Amino acid sequence: MKKKVISIALIIALIAVIAAGSFAYFTDKDKATNTFTVGNVDIRLIESTFHREGNDNSGDKSIPDPTHIADGMKYVANGHKAFTDDEIQADAENYKTYLENAGNLMTPGRAAAKCPYVINDGKTAAYVRIRVLVPSAANRDYVAVENGGVITNQWCSTSMLSGEFAPAAGSDRDPVINKGVTYEGKTYDEYVFVRNEALAPGAMTEWNVWNFIGIDADADNADIQKAIDAGAITKDGSFGVLVFADAIQAEGFANATAAFAAFDAQK
């Protein structure tokens, strides 16, 4: 059986946005005597300022609240106000400009909205995974802590609480976090979000897996200098946050866990 996998990435800096290319490859497990049309795996990773269900981006009031009422969505409860797929995709067209403006205003206590979604542009259902890599030396490891009723983590807990994405073992709202991941010579903390159900052709993930990138209100010059010295922040004050989207055809796998075990083995 031929399995097709694809991975795409966005490299996001607070001041600049760099779009990396995509790659795809095949591996042969068996030879077949019949000829089949190979299934198409084609995903698109977008980022928006719109958190699916209302403004939940660290209090950024410049981002409007939705006016539509969710109806018939699988992971967003009916009756809740939510942005539509079309609204999110339209907003994503302007995300680079937003990020450049937000980045220039980043100060302790402020945040930039960062809401990734994946769209299946292919012809076959695919398991998808989103990975967010934050420079370790600039990361305070935001964990889900109740603070006056406000979750202080930067990721979208609802993406896991809703059942769309799988949480880490023993948790219902936190992703798998891999510390000290090396990519192109730099060290990151990697947050992994695996969608439980295969994404149908033409469909978009319902929940954003991440909310915002922010600077702690109590961060001072010494904290910033440590991150600069470690190479996590450049001297001009920007730092890169990497977002990867991976996909593999759903056919031939019992579940997402089995699919991404095969994906990672081929990498």
Side-chain angles (χ1 to χ4, degrees):
M1 176 181 293
K2 290 181 179 289
K3 302 233 180 1
K4 183 177 182 181
V5 299
I6 188 170
S7 176
I8 60 177
L10 293 181
I11 300 177
I12 308 299
L14 288 178
I15 296 176
V17 179
I18 304 172
S22 64
F23 66 87
Y25 55 90
F26 294 86
T27 58
D28 287 325
K29 296 297 183 182
D30 298 294
K31 289 185 178 180
T33 56
N34 298 65
T35 300
F36 299 93
T37 300
V38 176
N40 177 275
V41 177
D42 183 12
I43 58 170
R44 183 165 24 123
L45 173 63
I46 64 171
E47 290 199 305
S48 169
T49 63
F50 290 171
H51 172 74
R52 175 68 82 173
E53 190 180 83
N55 178 7
D56 190 21
N57 286 302
S58 195
D60 187 345
K61 297 304 180 184
S62 68
I63 303 172
D65 287 323
T67 57
H68 298 281
I69 304 299
D71 181 25
M73 299 180 73
K74 184 165 185 177
Y75 299 103
V76 180
N78 286 345
H80 287 215
K81 289 184 178 181
F83 290 106
T84 66
D85 287 6
D86 288 343
E87 288 176 324
I88 291 169
Q89 291 182 44
D91 180 72
E93 295 293 327
N94 301 313
Y95 185 72
K96 179 179 179 179
T97 299
Y98 164 81
L99 196 65
E100 289 171 346
N101 294 334
N104 290 330
L105 297 174
M106 288 293 285
T107 57
R110 293 189 61 128
K114 186 178 185 63
C115 300
Y117 300 85
V118 170
I119 302 166
N120 185 353
D121 288 327
K123 298 178 181 178
T124 59
Y127 287 113
V128 300
R129 174 177 68 184
I130 301 174
R131 296 176 288 124
V132 179
L133 277 66
V134 180
S136 297
N139 186 27
R140 293 202 179 193
D141 193 18
Y142 285 69
V143 294
V145 177
E146 292 285 354
N147 181 13
V150 178
I151 301 298
T152 60
N153 60 303
Q154 298 177 89
W155 60 81
C156 176
S157 297
T158 311
S159 67
M160 288 157 286
L161 289 170
S162 67
E164 184 171 13
F165 290 85
S171 174
D172 63 352
R173 69 187 318 147
D174 300 334
V176 170
I177 304 175
N178 299 317
K179 299 280 190 171
V181 173
T182 301
Y183 181 78
E184 294 187 344
K186 295 184 178 180
T187 303
Y188 297 88
D189 296 338
E190 178 188 55
Y191 300 78
V192 184
F193 305 87
V194 177
R195 194 174 193 270
N196 285 309
E197 186 178 35
L199 190 63
M204 185 172 96
T205 52
E206 291 191 10
W207 282 102
N208 49 294
V209 297
W210 201 265
N211 282 342
F212 61 89
I213 289 293
I215 299 177
D216 274 2
D218 60 349
D220 56 24
N221 288 339
D223 294 320
I224 301 299
Q225 189 59 52
K226 287 179 182 178
I228 292 175
D229 293 342
I233 296 179
T234 63
K235 291 183 179 180
D236 66 3
S238 65
F239 65 93
V241 176
L242 284 62
V243 183
F244 291 89
D246 308 319
I248 183 169
Q249 66 187 69
E251 186 177 358
F253 296 105
N255 50 45
T257 299
F260 282 109
F263 182 100
D264 292 335
Q266 292 181 93
K267 288 173 62 180

